[in-house]
């Protein structure tokens, strides 16, 4: 009997449900469904069970970080959207769990507005992947597979 696949939780924050329509020059033409399908397929190839969720509500993201811990996830990929720069609650939730969190961004925040240069998520995360469009998730999933 084979052991169950390691779990990876992919959490997406506010406005990421609008990918494909929202500023495609910044975020690309891929929809969140496109990215989710790509990550799920790659997860299967890597022997990982990938669960993807999106919410525009900060508390949902906090609850899902706690759930990742409770379910024994190997890692969390977190694109917190704008909460990256504002959420002490997400920062604290990441620090409160033992599951490594990889911060993910489609664009490179350091090349954008100054208010995007500070990441409260990055201050608590294991690492950050940014600037590769939808492939940021692919790179982050490969990193998670190595943990």
């Amino acid at each position: 009997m084979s052991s169950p696949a390691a779990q990876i939780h992919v959490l997406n924050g506010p406005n990421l449900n609008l990918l494909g329509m929202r500023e495609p020059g910044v975020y690309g033409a891929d929809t969140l469904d496109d990215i989710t399908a790509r990550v799920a397929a790659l997860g299967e190839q890597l022997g990982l069970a990938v669960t993807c969720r999106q919410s525009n509500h900060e508390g949902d993201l906090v609850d899902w970080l706690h759930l990742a811990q409770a379910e024994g996830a190997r890692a969390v990929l977190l694109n917190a959207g704008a909460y990256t720069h504002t959420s002490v609650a997400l920062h604290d939730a990441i620090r409160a769990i033992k599951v490594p969190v990889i911060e993910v961004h489609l664009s490179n925040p350091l090349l954008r507005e100054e208010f995007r240069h500070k990441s409260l998520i990055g201050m608590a995360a294991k690492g950050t992947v940014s600037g590769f469009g939808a492939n940021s998730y692919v790179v982050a999933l490969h990193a998670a597979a190595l943990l």
Side-chain angles (χ1 to χ4, degrees):
M1 186 164 160
S2 64
S3 60
Q7 291 184 47
I8 305 293
H9 290 222
V10 181
L11 307 180
N12 291 283
N15 298 310
L16 292 165
N17 56 306
L18 300 177
L19 288 176
M21 322 181 256
R22 176 186 177 217
E23 297 183 83
V26 174
Y27 300 109
D30 290 305
T31 67
L32 187 56
D33 286 342
D34 295 335
I35 293 168
T36 296
R38 187 177 310 156
V39 169
L42 177 59
E44 191 173 317
Q45 290 174 12
L46 297 173
L48 302 169
V50 176
T51 301
C52 299
R53 295 181 171 97
Q54 187 277 329
S55 180
N56 294 318
H57 305 283
E58 183 179 33
D60 289 343
L61 297 168
V62 169
D63 288 344
W64 292 336
L65 286 165
H66 296 174
L67 181 63
Q69 171 83 15
E71 291 184 351
R74 174 180 288 180
V76 172
L77 310 186
L78 174 60
N79 184 341
Y83 290 138
T84 297
H85 319 289
T86 63
S87 181
V88 174
L90 286 171
H91 170 95
D92 289 352
I94 293 166
R95 302 235 358 202
I97 63 174
K98 291 181 176 26
V99 178
V101 174
I102 300 172
E103 178 184 31
V104 178
H105 296 288
L106 297 162
S107 67
N108 182 345
L110 296 176
L111 298 177
R112 299 187 59 202
E113 304 93 339
E114 188 173 335
F115 71 85
R116 297 185 195 275
H117 295 184
K118 183 175 182 181
S119 171
L120 298 179
I121 302 307
M123 291 177 187
K126 172 95 174 151
T128 300
V129 178
S130 67
F132 299 102
N135 285 325
S136 291
Y137 288 85
V138 170
V139 172
L141 187 59
H142 277 289
L146 297 173
L147 296 175

